[in-house]
Amino acid sequence: MTDSRPQAKPLATGSSPSLEASASSGPIRAVKLKHPWRNVIAVVIIIFAVLFVLDASQRTAYDWPSVGKYIFDRRVSEAALNTLQLTVYSMIIAVTLGIILAVMRLSPNPVFKSVAWFYLWVFRGTPVYVQLVFWGLLAIIYQSIDIGIPFMQPWASFQTTAALNTFTLAVIGLALNEAAYMAEIVRAGLMAVDRGQEEAATALGMTWFQTMQRVVIPQSMRVIIPPTGNEVISMLKTTSLVTAVPYSFDLYTRTRDISAETFNPIPMLLVASIWYLFFTSILMVGQYFLEKRFARGVGDRKPEKSEKVSLATGVLSTVPDSTGALPLPIADKNGGDSR
């Protein structure tokens, strides 16, 4: 008696059963994964945000008419400009001094390395407010500023109070404190560049300056820019402490003085916060574009096409993977080598 059931066709040598099954079943239809709880949480957050805004708009303690009255007041706008100047001047000095300290930390000279380490130990180990108080008392500690050779008659002498006003003292105090942090940021960026890059540049005949300008610094900026942007934003808010110098024409101190006159501090705090948020938003946008510029060619490339298998023919595509390696051959439907 002959068996009438269809016999299974034997697979050719080297053929893939999974490819045969995939080819017969047709293309795979991908179904997007649903996240219902994520949507629920998002709706709840939006509802709470709307309720908070509606509640804040009806609170009499905020006194929104006073906020609108003083937001563009001449005294407030001038104080905002002074705050911006404090931030810019302090960061310029801090970045310059931070680069010098970072190079000293990386120097093989033990004297340079020790001086830089001592500077960082002092200025990172004491609060910035305490340092600003010391700068405010500089005229008591040093009554005059003498220029000349030590232990000899000075060439020129100036009274400290006449040579350094409170604005200058505030800039110096903020800059010297920030330089200690910028030094570590710059040092981390320089150390992030592979040593082989510098050796390759030297082998090409580049000088030390050319190597730093064309090879090391462009690559280290990708590491330096993000924390530096954070430090600039932090410096903008740290200017509210210059009242310790004492300098009383920054944004926070000026709005505080106005609130002492009106006996209504909450609206003036909102005015100061709005100005701080305005400057911070501009700095964040600038930081974004700087990061995007220095990250060109790194981490922003689209992933290359992966190896693809044709379900119809069982042939492996010849597109290389992300490592540049060619794919391994896979037998086609008829058992032959696809290469």
Side-chain angles (χ1 to χ4, degrees):
M1 183 174 180
T2 305
D3 190 357
S4 60
R5 291 179 298 177
Q7 301 293 325
K9 184 179 179 180
L11 293 173
T13 304
S15 62
S16 175
S18 60
L19 289 177
E20 292 285 348
S22 301
S24 61
S25 61
I28 299 175
R29 186 174 65 90
V31 179
K32 187 177 180 180
L33 185 62
K34 297 181 180 180
H35 302 279
W37 285 109
R38 182 186 301 175
N39 298 331
V40 171
I41 295 175
V43 171
V44 172
I45 292 175
I46 293 175
I47 292 175
F48 272 104
V50 172
L51 292 176
F52 176 80
V53 172
L54 293 176
D55 179 74
S57 62
Q58 299 173 359
R59 294 281 178 178
T60 57
Y62 289 122
D63 196 0
W64 295 109
S66 296
V67 174
K69 176 182 177 182
Y70 287 101
I71 188 69
F72 296 112
D73 187 89
R74 183 179 58 85
R75 294 170 294 178
V76 175
S77 58
E78 290 179 354
L81 180 60
N82 293 335
T83 295
L84 194 60
Q85 289 177 337
L86 284 170
T87 304
V88 174
Y89 296 159
S90 300
M91 286 306 303
I92 291 176
I93 299 174
V95 170
T96 304
L97 186 56
I99 294 174
I100 297 174
L101 290 170
V103 174
M104 292 175 64
R105 284 291 308 273
L106 297 175
S107 172
N109 191 314
V111 177
F112 288 168
K113 186 178 297 185
S114 300
V115 171
W117 180 88
F118 180 79
Y119 181 96
L120 268 62
W121 175 66
V122 171
F123 282 92
R124 291 202 306 169
T126 55
V128 61
Y129 191 88
V130 175
Q131 297 174 27
L132 291 174
V133 172
F134 266 106
W135 284 106
L137 299 175
L138 183 67
I140 299 177
I141 303 174
Y142 303 99
Q143 288 80 15
S144 62
I145 300 176
D146 300 329
I147 300 176
I149 301 176
F151 309 108
M152 296 183 65
Q153 188 69 21
W155 301 334
S157 181
F158 306 94
Q159 292 295 322
T160 304
T161 54
L164 300 174
N165 54 27
T166 54
F167 180 85
T168 305
L169 291 174
V171 171
I172 294 174
L174 292 173
L176 293 182
N177 177 265
E178 183 61 32
Y181 297 93
M182 285 304 307
E184 292 298 278
I185 292 175
V186 174
R187 186 172 70 94
L190 296 177
M191 294 179 64
V193 180
D194 190 84
R195 181 70 177 176
Q197 300 283 331
E198 188 174 349
E199 294 175 354
T202 304
L204 292 175
M206 291 186 181
T207 63
W208 180 87
F209 182 78
Q210 291 175 332
T211 301
M212 295 297 293
Q213 181 183 12
R214 301 179 182 181
V215 179
V216 177
I217 292 180
Q219 296 184 62
S220 63
M221 291 300 288
R222 184 168 50 89
V223 180
I224 295 174
I225 289 297
T228 301
N230 294 337
E231 290 299 317
V232 173
I233 294 174
S234 177
M235 174 63 70
L236 176 69
K237 296 177 290 185
T238 307
T239 55
S240 61
L241 301 178
V242 294
T243 183
V245 173
Y247 179 75
S248 59
F249 294 98
D250 66 290
L251 181 58
Y252 169 71
T253 308
R254 202 71 179 117
T255 54
R256 187 190 63 183
D257 294 342
I258 296 174
S259 65
E261 298 174 0
T262 60
F263 300 100
N264 196 8
I266 296 178
M268 299 312 301
L269 288 175
L270 291 174
V271 169
S273 299
I274 291 172
W275 276 102
Y276 281 124
L277 288 172
F278 173 71
F279 288 140
T280 302
S281 301
I282 296 177
L283 293 174
M284 291 176 66
V285 172
Q287 177 184 351
Y288 168 77
F289 283 106
L290 279 177
E291 290 182 11
K292 187 176 180 181
R293 174 178 176 80
F294 285 101
R296 289 180 301 178
V298 179
D300 57 353
R301 295 191 299 266
K302 295 181 180 180
E304 298 181 7
K305 295 181 180 180
S306 58
E307 301 173 356
K308 297 180 180 179
V309 178
S310 173
L311 296 179
T313 61
V315 178
L316 181 66
S317 66
T318 57
V319 179
D321 59 10
S322 59
T323 62
L326 291 175
L328 296 175
I330 294 182
D332 58 14
K333 287 178 61 177
N334 299 323
D337 194 343
S338 62
R339 287 185 297 181

